[in-house]
Amino acid sequence: MDMHSARQRVKQLRAEINRHRYQYHVLDRQEISDAALDSLKHELQQLEERYPELITPDSPTQRVGGKPLDDFKKVHHEHPMLSLNDVFAAGEVIAWETRISKLLPDARQLDYFAELKMDGLALSLVYRGGVLYRAATRGDGRIGEDVTQNVRTIEAVPLQLQLDGLSPTLRKQALDEVEIRGEVYMTKRTFDALNREQEKRGEELFANPRNIAAGSIRQLDPTITASRRLSFMAYDLPTDLGQQTHADTHALLVQLGFRAGDHNQVCKTLDEVETYHTMIGKKRSGFNYWSDGIVVTVNDIATFKKLGVVGKAPRGSIAYKYPAEQATTVVEDIQVQVGRTGVLTPVAHLRPVQVAGTTVSRATLHNIDEINRLDVRIGDTVVIQKAGDIIPDVVQVLANMRAGSEKKFVMPNKCPVCGSSVARREGEVAYYCTNSSCYALQHEQLRHFVSKKAFDIDGLGPKILEQLSAADLVKLPVDLFDLTEADLEPLERFAEQSAHNLVDAIHKAKKVSLARFIYALGIRHVGEETARSLAETFHTIDRVMVASLEDFQRIPDVGGVVGESLYSYFQNKKNMQLIAGLQKRGVIIERAVAQKSVGALQGKKLVITGTLASLSREEAAERIRQAGGKVQSAVSAKTDYLVVGENPGSKREQAMKHRVPILSEMDFLNLLKKA
Ligand code: IVH
């Protein structure tokens, strides 16, 4: 290729690569695969190597270039970088409106612009001649640090502004100098992937995405920043390009080539602001980034400016935040709980603290490995976290706050409930109580047996069950079916009617499906799904009871560990006696009806996202249908699997939210093979 055609080709390649950058990072769309885009970049790189005179600093190949620095240069911000005042309640928003209205001579109804508050760190970007000239951190608001080299590696930051859509006058202005502000952040997906990589390498996991985002921007070596795959969301344009409102600002930011908020809304009243705040509050856990609140700004820029600044914050904006889902507290004790399968779980007993609107006094520590990893000691000050309705977790120890009197936790060698010895099975992190008639274990098993997804016995909640155990009426599930009204009536709070109702409910529950029955047994590693697969495979409990280890392991979804657990359960005489005892007392286990076809995905609902390497979407869908499954377009709580290819969209988030198992292409193909 001669110089002239190379120049042409380079120009086309850059335009196309930039267009895809915009599609991907601003519009969240993907027209071509990563591999295809890489191939375009590769061709550009080769041409630039051959004709170095064609290289320009804004070429997409020039993102990672500079050498590691010794230190960051200081940068003076022409317009100070302010911060926002936080509010947490609707009343405080109203008080804010009242306050600012008083400062405005013509007090008419104000319009507001509501947008997401991104949980990252603020950046100022200066473009000269339409090309990224300097990127700086906030610092103290007046003086920040020059992090241009690092910011160049962020693909969501255009190296060159998109000026095509502007009028000739604005374009001329924009070519002079433009400053853009926004937030650097890390997506949840990237954070998870990065932590998986850390884990594989046996390195320490990152605790929180904001800290890594901040740490990555302040790296002296830009290749490290590049490897952290950061994102950027723009929210302000201090340069005057004719914008009258904050909504205009956002429209301009998008036009210039930035992502500028996905959920922005102009609100005419504070009621609308409140509705927006509630709506985002519900949706935000499904976003692919962390947002800790909304920012509400007086939409009219002239009014916003008139309101001025107080302290370091503009009067015309507030951050309306969501209650923190993390809090710090003290570990007062670590105690061990015995679960249904005999597992000993260490639980932190905490000085009660408010997190996301509820009081938390316990947090699970999972197992001894987790305690060692965090190095939690009794007396430590810790950070706890609550995500949705999940049990709170201890995420971090503030070791600097130790007084020296903290005590290390040691796993007891005797069960705290029955005093039997405790053991660890090979290859497992958990400790177990070795006594199969341990009170705690039996009680937890009973709770499981009567629970919703098992026998579903109405009116037999944890309190009543506790009462029945305390009165020595019920120890094992079989005992439930021996209960009479006469047994119950003498008990406290048991009137004649309630005794009758409970006995009646137990009687009604005697007819049970095979899947529920298997689930109710509480076999280790056997959840609802596996119980269903077993029922579909064996149809009757008699066949399940005589199945060999190989029979179990042949069932899709049943791996080595689950198969062994099943086999050993049905080898145990006591368990056989339990099943016989239940049947003797009139429990009827309904035969599972045979399915017409026995594909590996029989009756399963699957969703596909992203690009698969070995087959097209349509081919994959066809294979699912052949295996007896259904293909859905959207993920819901009812979806059985999400198949994830390259560049999955928001469906992956949805799947995580609904706890839908995620299959890689390899997992998916293996599952099909089991047909
Ligand atoms: S406007 C006047 N909009 O929150 C200050 N800030 O506490 C301009 N932030 O330092 C901020 N998302 O880093 C604004 N949509 C958003 C934001 C946002 C995150 C950060 C920003 C700022 C801090 C203020």
Side-chain angles (χ1 to χ4, degrees):
M1 197 182 281
D2 65 17
M3 176 71 172
H4 178 71
S5 348
R7 192 186 296 278
Q8 279 303 319
R9 182 76 184 161
V10 161
K11 210 172 140 201
Q12 284 170 328
L13 284 165
R14 285 182 193 157
E16 186 64 2
I17 294 167
N18 281 331
R19 198 173 66 78
H20 287 297
R21 181 206 72 81
Y22 185 78
Q23 292 276 331
Y24 187 82
H25 292 284
V26 181
L27 305 179
D28 225 352
R29 274 189 223 139
Q30 192 170 15
E31 278 181 22
I32 62 172
S33 69
D34 280 359
L37 185 57
D38 281 344
S39 178
L40 292 178
K41 288 183 189 163
H42 183 68
E43 184 185 344
L44 177 61
Q45 189 139 24
Q46 283 190 321
L47 281 175
E48 288 180 345
E49 267 165 30
R50 215 163 127 206
Y51 300 102
E53 58 273 46
L54 294 181
I55 299 178
T56 55
D58 59 349
S59 169
T61 57
Q62 303 301 303
R63 285 196 175 265
V64 193
K67 294 210 166 47
L69 302 172
D70 294 325
D71 207 354
F72 295 110
K73 267 199 319 232
K74 296 281 179 257
V75 166
H76 180 262
H77 295 297
E78 194 189 318
H79 311 271
M81 287 183 83
L82 301 171
S83 61
L84 295 173
N85 287 326
D86 290 344
V87 300
F88 288 90
E92 293 176 279
V93 184
I94 298 173
W96 168 67
E97 180 178 71
T98 313
R99 226 166 33 238
I100 58 174
S101 296
K102 278 192 195 141
L103 296 171
L104 298 168
D106 53 338
R108 51 198 161 75
Q109 177 66 51
L110 293 167
D111 274 3
Y112 300 103
F113 189 84
E115 63 193 288
L116 298 186
K117 183 170 190 304
M118 303 297 294
D119 197 7
L121 82 151
L123 266 193
S124 144
L125 307 173
V126 174
Y127 288 79
R128 287 197 180 157
V131 176
L132 178 64
Y133 164 74
R134 194 196 71 194
T137 60
R138 176 172 180 273
D140 64 5
R142 294 221 149 254
I143 314 264
E145 283 177 325
D146 186 332
V147 288
T148 315
Q149 280 213 90
N150 293 340
V151 170
R152 290 178 66 88
T153 70
I154 305 173
E155 282 213 16
V157 172
L159 295 177
Q160 194 182 30
L161 293 177
Q162 217 167 258
L163 300 172
D164 320 342
L166 300 183
S167 71
T169 340
L170 281 186
R171 199 181 160 131
K172 213 162 145 249
Q173 259 173 279
L175 277 171
D176 183 23
E177 183 174 294
V178 174
E179 184 182 357
I180 278 144
R181 292 191 179 159
E183 198 87 347
V184 180
Y185 63 95
M186 183 174 280
T187 64
K188 294 181 182 172
R189 223 175 281 150
T190 304
F191 179 71
D192 289 346
L194 216 56
N195 261 347
R196 273 197 303 273
E197 287 164 22
Q198 288 292 105
E199 199 169 14
K200 256 193 225 156
R201 282 193 238 114
E203 282 169 34
E204 225 173 279
L205 299 191
F206 296 113
N208 104 37
R210 200 239 290 243
N211 290 351
I212 341 175
S216 310
I217 282 295
R218 296 192 72 267
Q219 285 289 334
L220 293 168
D221 180 356
T223 57
I224 299 183
T225 316
S227 72
R228 303 278 167 86
R229 287 162 284 163
L230 299 169
S231 296
F232 182 76
M233 192 86 88
Y235 53 67
D236 202 9
L237 181 61
T239 312
D240 181 4
L241 291 180
Q243 64 272 37
Q244 304 285 316
T245 62
H246 197 52
D248 292 348
T249 297
H250 273 259
L252 270 166
L253 288 169
V254 172
Q255 197 162 37
L256 291 169
F258 294 87
R259 186 171 188 147
D262 309 334
H263 301 271
N264 310 329
Q265 192 178 303
V266 174
C267 298
K268 297 261 173 211
T269 62
L270 289 193
D271 277 347
E272 286 181 32
V273 169
E274 190 57 28
T275 309
Y276 175 85
H277 184 261
T278 310
M279 184 262 299
I280 296 296
K282 284 190 189 136
K283 284 193 181 166
R284 70 191 178 117
S285 66
F287 297 159
N288 188 24
Y289 38 71
W290 280 268
S291 160
D292 53 348
I294 63 168
V295 176
V296 186
T297 300
V298 170
N299 197 27
D300 181 64
I301 293 176
T303 312
F304 177 88
K305 285 193 176 150
K306 227 180 272 168
L307 285 167
V309 173
V310 60
K312 282 189 173 182
R315 284 201 187 84
S317 283
I318 44 163
Y320 185 6
K321 300 197 30 181
Y322 296 103
E325 300 202 342
Q326 282 199 349
T328 56
T329 186
V330 174
V331 176
E332 293 181 332
D333 198 6
I334 298 178
Q335 291 184 9
V336 166
Q337 246 173 29
V338 188
R340 167 171 69 80
T341 53
V343 176
L344 268 55
T345 306
V347 176
H349 289 234
L350 308 166
R351 181 179 296 165
V353 62
Q354 285 282 116
V355 192
T358 56
T359 307
V360 171
S361 55
R362 306 262 159 108
T364 175
L365 290 166
H366 303 283
N367 53 52
I368 193 75
D369 285 12
E370 179 70 359
I371 293 183
N372 292 338
R373 185 181 76 79
L374 293 164
D375 188 20
V376 190
R377 303 177 194 176
I378 299 165
D380 265 341
T381 302
V382 293
V383 179
I384 59 164
Q385 176 167 295
K386 212 177 133 226
D389 46 13
I390 299 169
I391 334 168
D393 255 330
V394 173
V395 290
Q396 204 183 344
V397 172
L398 303 179
N400 288 332
M401 295 189 64
R402 282 189 181 144
S405 53
E406 292 74 16
K407 274 196 294 203
K408 283 211 175 205
F409 168 79
V410 205
M411 198 57 147
N413 50 19
K414 296 262 182 288
C415 169
V417 178
C418 70
S420 309
S421 63
V422 153
R424 201 175 200 182
R425 299 200 185 117
E426 208 179 316
E428 289 186 23
V429 287
Y431 281 86
Y432 294 87
C433 167
T434 52
N435 171 12
S436 62
S437 23
C438 169
Y439 169 80
L441 194 150
Q442 278 188 348
H443 193 73
E444 284 307 305
Q445 266 173 357
L446 264 176
R447 275 172 71 144
H448 177 78
F449 188 86
V450 302
S451 67
K452 268 236 137 356
K453 292 173 181 168
F455 268 71
D456 190 17
I457 301 179
D458 247 0
L460 204 45
K463 275 212 179 108
I464 306 252
L465 212 50
E466 194 80 54
Q467 208 182 354
L468 298 180
S469 302
D472 244 350
L473 285 170
V474 179
K475 244 192 194 156
L476 299 172
V478 281
D479 303 333
L480 288 169
F481 298 97
D482 289 335
L483 282 176
T484 63
E485 289 175 35
D487 290 333
L488 298 174
E489 274 164 22
L491 300 181
E492 211 175 312
R493 288 195 308 268
F494 259 101
E496 201 175 301
Q497 187 57 37
S498 48
H500 172 78
N501 289 350
L502 183 55
V503 173
D504 194 43
I506 295 174
H507 180 73
K508 282 202 182 114
K510 279 185 183 165
K511 213 163 158 192
V512 64
S513 73
L514 177 57
R516 274 176 179 269
F517 184 82
I518 297 172
Y519 174 75
L521 295 174
I523 306 166
R524 283 180 67 228
H525 306 303
V526 178
E528 229 187 327
E529 275 302 317
T530 310
R532 209 169 297 148
S533 306
L534 286 161
E536 279 168 15
T537 311
F538 296 107
H539 309 301
T540 67
I541 190 71
D542 296 338
R543 291 223 202 119
V544 179
M545 293 194 307
V546 297
S548 68
L549 180 59
E550 293 72 33
D551 289 339
F552 285 127
Q553 288 176 339
R554 257 200 299 274
I555 304 171
D557 301 342
V558 175
V561 184
V562 186
E564 274 162 32
S565 167
L566 276 161
Y567 183 67
S568 84
Y569 182 91
F570 291 105
Q571 285 301 301
N572 184 323
K573 257 209 196 110
K574 262 199 190 159
N575 297 332
M576 294 298 103
Q577 279 164 2
L578 170 72
I579 296 172
L582 289 168
Q583 286 178 312
K584 212 173 107 198
R585 283 163 180 81
V587 170
I588 298 167
I589 309 161
E590 291 173 320
R591 191 189 155 88
V593 241
Q595 301 276 350
K596 271 185 244 91
S597 132
V598 282
L601 296 176
Q602 193 59 49
K604 297 266 188 273
K605 299 184 189 79
L606 285 87
V607 176
I608 312 171
T609 182
T611 319
L612 300 177
S614 64
L615 63 182
S616 74
R617 278 272 180 109
E618 213 14 74
E619 283 165 340
E622 190 46 40
R623 297 279 296 272
I624 292 172
R625 285 189 286 267
Q626 279 169 4
K630 282 203 186 82
V631 183
Q632 297 178 312
S633 55
V635 176
S636 75
K638 291 195 178 126
T639 308
D640 291 295
Y641 296 110
L642 176 71
V643 181
V644 175
E646 277 283 329
N647 299 306
S650 59
K651 286 189 179 129
R652 193 173 165 274
E653 294 295 315
Q654 290 296 319
M656 287 177 9
K657 194 169 129 204
H658 293 297
R659 314 235 171 140
V660 170
I662 295 177
L663 301 178
S664 68
E665 182 167 353
M666 184 83 86
D667 299 334
F668 171 59
L669 294 174
N670 283 336
L671 200 60
L672 285 172
K673 263 192 228 148
K674 289 185 188 160

